[in-house]
Amino acid sequence: MFHFNPMAGNACFRGGGGGNSWIRVGWKPPSTGIFKLNTDGASKGNPGKAGAGGLIRNHEGRWVAGFCHNIGTTNSLEAEVTAIRDGLELVNRLRLTNVDVETDSKLAVQLIAGSIFSGEHVNNLVNDCRRLMTEIGSTTLIHVYREANACADILANLGVVADGLEVFANAPSCVAHQLHDDAIGVEYSRQMKQHADIGVRGVMRQRLEHIATVF
């Protein structure tokens, strides 16, 4: 069984005037016994040279495995969904279960949830993601802000210049500093437009909760 969650919980507090608010955002470890997969896509030009990247960590924030992937020339959406697919394939290859999957692409979450549709090639990737989530077992697909997805962003950009698909048993040096910051709970401030954000999140939650009951 797999589930969709449009937004991971982030601490929120009201800022100054104008209906805006500030939230504190950072990577959060999964619960004991659960693994977390973070993925991201990068496209230099949209469309342009593109890469996908991601990593799996345990409940202590320790590196389990990671990857980067040069996927040629494409747009950012295809890069994001490819990253999720590649990450799920790695999870499946390692025979891991109980996995939280995080991406900073709301659109990718909506596509995989089935609430919107895209072109044929992206939809093929989406179907791959759904199949893999079913094969893996207990998985949850979650949208997070980019500040909580920084390690995956580094690996996605590494993918733009990589030679095909590279899988890392150990963390590459370029991600070591951010891994440490995530592990010790570093958070970043993000300003939000309160009313607009609540409206979008409310609509997404309704759609995704409906889709989750179908799957």
Side-chain angles (χ1 to χ4, degrees), residues 57-69:
R57 285 172 279 192
N58 65 15
H59 67 278
E60 296 179 329
R62 295 184 182 275
W63 179 278
V64 174
F67 70 93
C68 69
H69 188 184

Side-chain angles (χ1 to χ4, degrees), residues 180-202:
H180 174 265
D181 284 356
D182 285 355
I184 64 174
V186 173
E187 294 184 332
Y188 309 90
S189 295
R190 179 184 178 98
Q191 189 174 21
M192 305 294 295
K193 291 185 178 180
Q194 180 76 2
H195 301 301
D197 183 55
I198 287 175
V200 171
R201 288 168 62 179

Side-chain angles (χ1 to χ4, degrees), residues 36-93:
K36 178 168 285 189
L37 166 67
N38 286 86
T39 69
D40 199 11
S43 178
K44 307 301 183 181
N46 196 27
K49 293 181 180 180
L55 67 158
I56 304 165
R57 285 172 279 192
N58 65 15
H59 67 278
E60 296 179 329
R62 295 184 182 275
W63 179 278
V64 174
F67 70 93
C68 69
H69 188 184
N70 185 320
I71 56 176
T73 300
T74 189
N75 58 48
S76 58
L77 176 59
E78 184 172 334
E80 294 281 4
V81 181
T82 299
I84 297 170
R85 191 274 313 273
D86 288 349
L88 289 170
E89 286 185 337
L90 181 57
V91 167
N92 208 21
R93 190 186 316 168

Side-chain angles (χ1 to χ4, degrees), residues 50-133:
L55 67 158
I56 304 165
R57 285 172 279 192
N58 65 15
H59 67 278
E60 296 179 329
R62 295 184 182 275
W63 179 278
V64 174
F67 70 93
C68 69
H69 188 184
N70 185 320
I71 56 176
T73 300
T74 189
N75 58 48
S76 58
L77 176 59
E78 184 172 334
E80 294 281 4
V81 181
T82 299
I84 297 170
R85 191 274 313 273
D86 288 349
L88 289 170
E89 286 185 337
L90 181 57
V91 167
N92 208 21
R93 190 186 316 168
L94 295 173
R95 301 185 182 277
L96 303 177
T97 57
N98 298 320
V99 180
D100 290 341
V101 184
E102 293 185 342
T103 172
D104 58 19
S105 172
K106 286 182 182 179
L107 189 54
V109 173
Q110 288 179 298
L111 280 168
I112 297 170
S115 55
I116 58 174
F117 299 93
S118 185
E120 181 178 357
H121 183 60
V122 172
N123 282 336
N124 288 337
L125 290 168
V126 165
N127 288 333
D128 286 344
C129 292
R130 293 173 181 164
R131 173 183 55 80
L132 286 161
M133 291 176 76

